[in-house]
Amino acid sequence: MGKLKVAVFASGNGSNFQALADGARDGRIDADIRLLVCDKPGAHVIRRAEAAGIETYVFRPRDYPSREAYEREILIELKRRGVELVVLAGYMRIVTPVLVDAYYGRMINVHPSLLPAFPGLNGIGQALAYGVKVTGATVHFVDGGLDSGPIIAQEALAVEPGDTEETLAARIHPIEHRLLLEVVQHFAEGRIRLDGRHVTIES
C-alpha cells in the first residue's frame, strides 16, 4: 500500500507543518506531503516547504470575489495531486462547503485548547484570560463550523502559575506536533472511523 497523500494548509510560522514534513521524511508517518496551501505570501511556512522540497500553492484571498472562488481553485490543486487527507495546521480561515463537502471525513484541524472550550482565534490567550487550571490541544475533523467538528484526539496540560501566552504555547506546541503525527499515522493505517459525531480508532 502506498503512502497517504497529504496536503497541509497553514498561514504563519508553520511549526506543525514542519513536524509533519519531518515525520514524513524520517518515516515516522507513512505519509507523502504533496502540497502546502498558504493564504499569506510572506509566511515563514513557505520557506519551510521550499527547504523540504514540498510544492506550494500560495494565494491572496483579496484577489478573489469570495472564499468559494479561491477554494474551487485549491480543490483543483488537491485533486491534481491525488490528495487523500487535508490537514489544517494554523490555517486562519474558515473553510467553506466547497472543500468541506469534498473532503468531509478526510479533513482535520489542530487547535491549541481542549475543545469545545476556547474555539477560534488565540485559544491559548482565551484559556489564560478565563483562568483555567488545565488546557491542552485537540485534533478534530473539520465540519465547516468554528473548531466544531468531531474530536479525534486530545491531550491535557496543566497551566502553571505565572504562565504567559508564550510560555504556555511553548509547552502546547510539542503536544500539537505529537497528536498530529499520531492521528495522521492512524489515517495512513486506515484505523479511523467516523459515524456521525462518534470517532473510533480501531486497534
Side-chain angles (χ1 to χ4, degrees):
M1 186 170 63
K3 292 184 176 181
L4 182 71
K5 300 177 181 67
V6 178
V8 181
F9 289 37
S11 299
N13 177 56
S15 68
N16 282 312
F17 169 84
Q18 190 69 59
L20 289 165
D22 291 348
R25 181 197 64 211
D26 298 342
R28 286 175 287 146
I29 54 174
D30 296 320
D32 177 8
I33 311 300
R34 303 298 292 268
L35 183 67
L36 167 72
V37 176
C38 183
D39 61 324
K40 295 185 182 298
H44 182 63
V45 69
I46 297 168
R47 293 195 290 277
R48 292 181 185 269
E50 291 169 348
I54 294 171
E55 287 188 81
T56 62
Y57 179 80
V58 183
F59 66 100
R60 292 181 177 85
R62 67 173 180 267
D63 292 340
Y64 295 84
S66 66
R67 288 184 295 169
E68 290 81 3
Y70 62 70
E71 286 191 0
R72 281 191 285 271
E73 289 196 1
I74 293 170
L75 186 57
I76 291 170
E77 298 297 325
L78 298 177
K79 291 188 176 299
R80 180 178 296 161
R81 292 166 177 82
V83 168
E84 300 165 294
L85 178 69
V86 172
V87 180
L88 308 186
Y91 182 65
M92 306 308 289
R93 296 190 175 276
I94 297 291
V95 182
T96 80
V98 170
L99 286 175
V100 173
D101 290 351
Y103 277 92
Y104 189 74
R106 298 181 296 141
M107 181 183 291
I108 63 175
N109 181 53
V110 60
H111 184 77
S113 79
L114 292 178
L115 293 173
F118 313 122
L121 293 174
N122 196 14
I124 294 172
Q126 289 185 62
L128 282 174
Y130 200 85
V132 297
K133 304 303 182 185
V134 176
T135 186
T138 302
V139 176
H140 64 94
F141 283 104
V142 175
D143 65 358
L146 184 62
D147 297 321
S148 58
I151 291 169
I152 304 169
Q154 291 183 308
E155 186 173 322
L157 174 73
V159 179
E160 302 292 345
D163 259 335
T164 66
E165 288 188 31
E166 290 73 24
T167 61
L168 191 51
R171 299 205 310 282
I172 288 178
H173 287 328
I175 295 173
E176 291 182 313
H177 302 166
R178 185 168 60 255
L179 287 179
L180 268 180
L181 290 173
E182 289 175 0
V183 170
V184 170
Q185 183 60 21
H186 290 332
F187 271 100
E189 295 170 353
R191 296 174 55 196
I192 293 184
R193 299 287 179 267
L194 175 62
D195 181 11
R197 292 194 62 84
H198 183 67
V199 178
T200 302
I201 301 175
E202 298 178 343
S203 58

